[in-house]
Amino acid sequence: MRSPYLYLAIVLAAVLCAALVAVRLLNTRRPPERGVPIITSEASEGSKEDPLARARFQWFLLHDPATKEVPRDIGYAQLMFAKKLAKRSPAEGGALTTDWLARGPYNVGGRTRALAIDATNENVILAGGVSGGMWKSTDGGRSWRKTTAPDQLHSVSCIAQHRAPGKANVWYYGTGESYPKGGTAAHPTFSDAFYRGDGIYKSTDGGESWSLLPATVSGTPEAEDAFDYVFGLETFGEDGVLAATSNGLFRSTDGGATWERVLHFGEAYRSTEIAATPSGAFYAAIGGIGPENGVYFSPDGASWERISPPAWPDTCQRTAIGIAPSNDNIAYFFCYLSGLKTQLWKYERDGGWTNLTANLPWRGEMITYGGHMLIIKVKPDDENVLFLGTVGLYRSKDGGHSFEVIGAYSDFHVDQHAIAFLPSNPRVMFVGNDGGVFKTEDNLAEPTLDPRSGETHIAWQSLNNGYITTQFYSVAVDHQTHGDETILGGTQDNAFLFTRSSNPKEPWEVIFGGAMDGGFTAIADGGEYFYATQAGSFAVWRFDFPNGQLRWTNVTPSELSGGTLWMPPFLLDPHDQKVMYLPWRDQLWRNSDLTAIPYVFPPEPTMVNWERLEKVSGGQITALGMSQALPRRLYYATFSWSPGARLFRLDDPHEGQPEPVEITGSNFPYFPYCPSIGCIAVDPRDADKLLVVFPNYQVISIYASEDAGTSWTPVAGTLEENPDGSGSGPSVRWISILYVEDQPVYFAGTSVGLFSTVKLDGMNTVWVQEGAQTIGNVVVDMIDVRQADGFVAVGTHGNGVYTTYVTELPSAVRERGLIVQHPILYAAYPNPFNPTTTISFALPERAFVSLKIYDALGREAAVLVDEELPAGRYSRRWDGRGLTSGIYFCRLQAGAFVQTRKLLLLR
């Protein structure tokens, strides 16, 4: 049973976190430093100076360097490409396993922009995650199941049920999440969201299954790229549909089979909204910079009239529409201009316009992150009760003349996107936000003070049990403890979550909840957890649970200054996990003993055991990698606009001031808007072998070296459509290497799911999809593995975490990976060792084999093999008990072939 001090500590942590988040949201941040405007930021999701920090960072990782844009049709194109890739069963020589377990979080949802209640059965709720697919509940939100097929696009942005009698089984949902664009006022590509959609999906069975409308697919004559971002949908008549997109307003009269664009004013107007009145008329809002932005009215969705008031601003980049269902003549318009500026207008068809901006909280200076969190809804039975969703949820009971907070941090989530009302009782309200789906039984209740946070709000309950849409950026496991099921991860706007239970329905625990994006994470040998927050509130935290009590502190170097990557990496040294390597811009910091940093309250940055490696340079550091094998060597990647992505290695990085050696491949991709290295995977048994990952589209994604970076071979193979990396191949995000039966298995996380291979064969490498019917084509951002027992954890950006154990290779998979051109003596594992280690070798053909151990003086210490063997892969265990500590050598001779490797026995 947990100590009551644990709960006290958690409360204190939550209070501190709320304060930190409040500072992040409300304080003025220093703008990014000049010289690195694209990838450097002190903002989190964004700030008043930099509302698109996260989107810009994702652009940096994903853009096509040749065009400086994320390819416009990549959403559908990469899905179609993925369908062609191998996804056979283990028995057929394809995937390693089909035994993937969805681990949750069962209790924490992800960013939800689509939310609706079935008009014919209010127990049926449909909700969609922006990268987690469409989900359906038939019991009022107590349980959920995903209805998006595993191989379909998982981006959901909006939803609509058909309104015509007898058509309630017909639903539509749009795809693609976009931030408003400002035309030429800013880099237009940077405000593209990084999960591009592609089209509209339709269901004719009440949301049980979905099919993509062909006329809305990018590249088709009617669509071009018009349906990459769909902001809203409305239906009319027998088969009518209106779609508000980033390319204007489209109308269909045949159930989405064909479309015509009825409102569009060019590239400067990239935000469109649509709303229907009870009588079947429509309001549309066009957002952008210029005189055509504003409000439009149509009696039928075909002909439109601009009705904006003369005082409507020329810059209004997105406008949310709130129809008053109880009064067909009234509508409200909540407009985002720029920075923190918003406006609120009321329109009465028989009375004109009223500007209510002065009544808004902070007189309209509201945090919407560039219009990303912007919604207004009117209580269905009362035209004067309004609900505004931004960062926080606000209510007005007097038609917009005053507002109060009814939903903030405690038991809720601040970033609001969708609102729906129970048809039989409009006081019951459902909300979709960055924390999933929530419900209040009484949206008119008086707010109460929460003593834990000092906030006022009404009562909310989470409906996230089984709504597994959490977006993970990082995932970490305990690398040492055999059978341990602990998983720690950083998430989009849900901070850091962890579980120590193998039960997928067991709730995950939240560390530092609130509106915070969780970054890189790690679990140290001693059971201590580490995690780094994103740049806007950057800190590296350490926590553990001695005697069941939470203990935590800040271990960030106190001398850090200026901005850095929006999500900076860090690494615990696998040879000694008391040692941490932490990049900060173009600096690399090293802590020689994290355990010596004291636990203090309140936590604050420290310089205990921190030292900056003075010789490290070459640009902003984007990735780190290190092997468990000797020699002790750290690899790191850097980026600058010129000369672009570079790669270095540091031998013995744990001591002194090591000299970096540049190992940038001459065949790495290079463009003026350079791609970046997002991941370095080093072979756990051989420090000379490594892979680097370029996540950008339209470049070769994966390169491998077997000689510590002296030479490089592209090994993306079947993950690329064309040998030069062009085409519809996915973005590769992460590589992890797991040894199974002494065979290296390479796992690749991509924008269309998880893949693996057991044989690197240049651009002939065959990557096979794992979990095709479970993980599916959801984005995989990170993978972590444990060598001791084959535990694999996969962090998806939309459907939580999946795990499995891979302890043996199916025979067909093993044979596929055993093709070698010459005898190979693999690195022993573990090494250093005490008292035993495993030595493996492979033969391409039958040969007489001698495998012997010698000490440092050349004396024979053991004979492991001395016989003729057929082609294949072999392993022998050597027991060094009875021998003195020191260096030994393993010598393989197969025919004329001879190879020797060094071993280190430690007592």
Side-chain angles (χ1 to χ4, degrees):
M1 186 174 182
R2 285 184 179 165
S3 163
Y5 293 109
L6 167 61
Y7 298 101
L8 175 60
I10 291 175
V11 169
L12 290 173
V15 172
L16 177 62
C17 174
L20 291 173
V21 172
V23 170
R24 173 175 72 85
L25 295 176
L26 301 177
N27 280 5
T28 299
R29 291 282 186 181
R30 186 184 316 161
E33 295 184 17
R34 298 184 63 182
V36 280
I38 303 305
I39 62 175
T40 299
S41 176
E42 291 196 13
S44 50
E45 180 94 24
S47 70
K48 64 194 305 183
E49 296 85 3
D50 193 6
L52 303 177
R54 180 167 61 96
R56 191 170 57 257
F57 175 72
Q58 294 292 337
W59 171 88
F60 163 70
L61 292 178
L62 302 179
H63 73 280
D64 172 358
T67 65
K68 302 185 288 294
E69 293 184 352
V70 178
R72 288 183 174 256
D73 62 348
I74 198 61
Y76 180 74
Q78 67 182 357
L79 282 181
M80 293 302 99
F81 177 77
K83 289 181 182 290
K84 305 174 186 177
L85 297 178
K87 49 179 66 71
R88 299 180 296 274
S89 69
E92 297 171 314
L96 294 169
T97 179
T98 57
D99 190 24
W100 291 96
L101 177 64
R103 292 289 299 278
Y106 190 76
N107 58 316
V108 181
R111 190 158 73 248
T112 299
R113 297 185 72 87
L115 179 65
I117 300 172
D118 192 322
T120 63
N121 184 352
E122 60 185 31
N123 286 318
V124 174
I125 307 172
L126 274 68
V130 296
S131 59
M134 180 59 66
W135 292 70
K136 183 176 182 178
S137 173
T138 58
D139 54 12
R142 289 188 294 273
S143 64
W144 298 86
R145 53 190 170 82
K146 187 167 72 169
T147 57
T148 296
D151 62 349
Q152 289 180 323
L153 185 65
H154 281 64
S155 172
V156 181
S157 58
C158 55
I159 188 169
Q161 183 179 22
H162 212 292
R163 291 150 46 105
K167 291 280 188 175
N169 63 320
V170 177
W171 291 77
Y172 300 89
Y173 78 73
T175 64
E177 181 187 30
S178 177
Y179 293 80
K181 284 189 172 185
T184 59
H187 269 293
T189 53
F190 296 164
S191 53
D192 274 347
F194 38 90
Y195 296 106
R196 186 181 293 272
D198 199 335
I200 296 172
Y201 284 77
K202 181 178 182 179
S203 173
T204 57
D205 56 10
E208 291 293 325
S209 62
W210 302 88
S211 58
L212 179 61
L213 294 175
T216 64
V217 177
S218 290
T220 56
E222 290 186 56
E224 298 177 349
D225 64 346
F227 297 91
D228 284 354
Y229 300 115
V230 184
F231 290 100
L233 295 165
E234 287 286 359
T235 64
F236 63 93
E238 284 296 310
D239 290 297
V241 190
L242 285 165
T245 79
S246 59
N247 250 312
L249 182 66
F250 287 78
R251 183 175 186 264
S252 173
T253 58
D254 52 13
T258 60
W259 298 82
E260 63 171 333
R261 186 154 52 186
V262 293
L263 272 180
H264 182 56
F265 299 101
E267 287 294 310
Y269 303 91
R270 300 289 291 185
S271 166
T272 308
E273 302 287 342
I274 183 69
T277 71
S279 63
F282 298 94
Y283 290 96
I286 301 295
I289 298 178
E292 305 297 339
N293 94 78
V295 180
Y296 294 75
F297 177 79
S298 172
D300 55 8
S303 59
W304 292 86
E305 174 191 5
R306 188 174 189 271
I307 61 170
S308 305
W312 190 267
D314 283 345
T315 297
C316 189
Q317 299 193 48
R318 184 184 173 200
T319 300
I321 307 172
I323 300 295
S326 61
N327 187 338
D328 200 66
N329 291 318
I330 291 178
Y332 296 87
F333 299 87
F334 187 28
C335 172
Y336 164 69
L337 282 66
S338 62
L340 295 180
K341 291 182 173 62
T342 62
Q343 290 189 359
L344 177 63
W345 292 81
K346 180 180 180 180
Y347 178 66
E348 300 175 81
R349 291 176 63 185
D350 55 1
W353 288 89
T354 304
N355 189 341
L356 301 172
T357 303
N359 306 324
L360 284 171
W362 299 291
R363 300 184 66 83
E365 294 282 308
M366 304 184 73
I367 301 171
T368 68
Y369 290 131
H372 186 215
M373 293 83 173
L374 193 79
I375 185 169
I376 181 169
K377 290 291 182 181
V378 184
K379 191 167 180 283
D381 60 350
D382 191 337
E383 66 194 59
N384 291 310
V385 178
L386 316 180
F387 299 93
L388 294 184
T390 60
V391 176
L393 186 63
Y394 302 86
R395 179 184 65 196
S396 172
K397 293 182 178 180
D398 53 11
H401 291 281
S402 64
F403 287 88
E404 58 190 339
V405 179
I406 62 168
Y409 299 102
S410 299
D411 302 324
F412 198 52
H413 199 290
V414 292
D415 297 340
Q416 310 305 315
H417 301 292
I419 295 173
F421 301 90
L422 195 69
S424 64
N425 181 5
R427 293 180 77 140
V428 179
M429 187 168 74
F430 300 80
V431 173
N433 53 41
D434 277 15
V437 180
F438 293 81
K439 173 186 176 181
T440 181
E441 294 287 349
D442 187 3
N443 57 28
L444 293 183
E446 288 301 313
T448 58
L449 178 67
D450 187 332
R452 297 172 299 174
S453 63
E455 302 160 358
T456 57
H457 56 83
I458 62 177
W460 294 94
Q461 57 179 297
S462 168
L463 298 183
N464 288 311
N465 283 346
Y467 181 61
I468 305 175
T469 51
T470 320
Q471 298 171 300
F472 277 81
Y473 289 120
S474 69
V475 65
V477 303
D478 182 337
H479 290 162
Q480 300 299 319
T481 307
H482 192 286
D484 186 88
E485 293 280 350
T486 301
I487 302 170
L488 170 68
T491 67
Q492 190 278 326
D493 231 25
N494 284 288
F496 299 90
L497 308 173
F498 75 96
T499 180
R500 292 180 285 183
S501 171
S502 60
N503 182 356
K505 292 188 176 182
E506 186 74 18
W508 287 44
E509 298 188 59
V510 181
I511 296 295
F512 279 11
M516 178 186 296
D517 288 312
F520 278 67
T521 55
I523 301 176
D525 296 349
E528 293 181 324
Y529 301 172
F530 292 87
Y531 54 90
T533 54
Q534 85 296 69
S537 55
F538 180 78
V540 182
W541 296 88
R542 177 185 68 199
F543 70 99
D544 60 4
F545 293 91
N547 301 317
Q549 298 182 23
L550 173 65
R551 180 175 64 174
W552 51 283
T553 196
N554 189 334
V555 300
T556 316
S558 55
E559 293 184 4
L560 300 183
S561 62
T564 188
L565 284 177
W566 179 76
M567 187 166 288
F570 71 85
L571 180 69
L572 298 182
D573 192 320
H575 299 270
D576 181 356
Q577 295 199 329
K578 297 191 300 293
V579 177
M580 176 182 283
Y581 304 101
L582 175 68
W584 187 258
R585 295 181 59 86
D586 59 350
Q587 305 170 11
L588 183 62
W589 290 77
R590 177 184 64 211
N591 192 290
S592 58
D593 187 357
L594 293 163
T595 65
I597 298 176
Y599 288 88
V600 298
F601 192 87
E604 58 185 17
T606 178
M607 284 306 295
V608 174
N609 291 330
W610 281 108
E611 180 180 11
R612 186 166 70 89
L613 302 187
E614 301 290 345
K615 297 183 179 181
V616 171
S617 62
Q620 184 139 246
I621 298 172
T622 60
L624 302 171
M626 200 168 184
S627 173
Q628 300 172 26
L630 293 174
R632 200 159 165 177
R633 177 181 293 153
L634 174 70
Y635 296 91
Y636 67 93
T638 69
F639 171 88
S640 60
W641 290 123
S642 178
R646 301 169 71 185
L647 192 65
F648 298 85
R649 71 168 184 254
L650 283 177
D651 288 330
D652 296 322
H654 59 295
E655 56 188 13
Q657 290 288 334
E659 191 76 38
V661 176
E662 183 166 3
I663 54 171
T664 307
S666 60
N667 55 346
F668 283 179
Y670 177 79
F671 293 86
Y673 275 76
C674 308
S676 60
I677 295 173
C679 171
I680 304 170
V682 189
D683 192 303
R685 298 190 181 184
D686 191 336
D688 287 342
K689 295 181 179 179
L690 68 155
L691 294 90
V692 296
V693 174
F694 290 87
N696 300 79
Y697 287 107
Q698 306 298 321
V699 300
I700 295 176
S701 303
I702 312 170
Y703 288 79
S705 175
E706 295 190 347
D707 51 18
T710 301
S711 61
W712 292 92
T713 302
V715 293
T718 56
L719 289 177
E720 307 292 359
E721 183 174 22
N722 300 311
D724 63 354
S726 63
S728 301
S731 162
V732 180
R733 310 297 178 84
W734 201 262
I735 296 282
S736 282
I737 306 170
L738 173 69
Y739 270 81
V740 181
E741 297 185 318
D742 294 314
Q743 164 74 37
V745 176
Y746 305 91
F747 290 98
T750 79
S751 54
V752 291
L754 179 70
F755 293 81
S756 75
T757 187
V758 293
K759 181 174 182 286
L760 299 178
D761 188 21
M763 289 304 284
N764 296 316
T765 300
V766 176
W767 294 88
V768 179
Q769 188 172 9
E770 298 285 345
Q773 297 304 314
T774 47
I775 301 172
N777 292 132
V778 70
V779 175
V780 174
D781 265 350
M782 191 174 287
I783 310 153
D784 201 9
V785 300
R786 182 165 56 233
Q787 305 296 329
D789 58 3
F791 187 55
V792 182
V794 176
T796 74
H797 199 82
N799 287 151
V801 174
Y802 291 83
T803 64
T804 193
Y805 286 89
V806 181
T807 57
E808 60 182 23
L809 300 178
S811 57
V813 175
R814 187 185 306 112
E815 291 168 4
R816 181 159 52 87
L818 287 179
I819 302 172
V820 293
Q821 304 300 319
H822 55 77
I824 296 176
L825 175 62
Y826 295 100
Y829 183 80
N831 186 26
F833 67 98
N834 178 27
T836 62
T837 187
T838 299
I839 300 166
S840 303
F841 61 94
L843 304 174
E845 58 187 10
R846 178 177 290 273
F848 190 89
V849 176
S850 170
L851 182 65
K852 298 182 179 181
I853 306 296
Y854 297 89
D855 65 16
L857 299 178
R859 296 175 298 197
E860 184 178 291
V863 177
L864 305 182
V865 178
D866 191 26
E867 61 181 314
E868 188 175 41
L869 296 173
R873 187 180 182 113
Y874 301 89
S875 295
R876 296 293 185 269
R877 183 170 293 275
W878 177 44
D879 191 331
R881 275 186 284 245
L883 298 176
T884 59
S885 297
I887 294 175
Y888 291 81
F889 296 92
C890 177
R891 183 179 185 270
L892 171 70
Q893 181 169 357
F897 175 86
V898 176
Q899 186 176 0
T900 301
R901 285 190 177 271
K902 184 188 297 185
L903 307 172
L904 179 58
L905 173 61
L906 294 178
R907 290 296 190 191

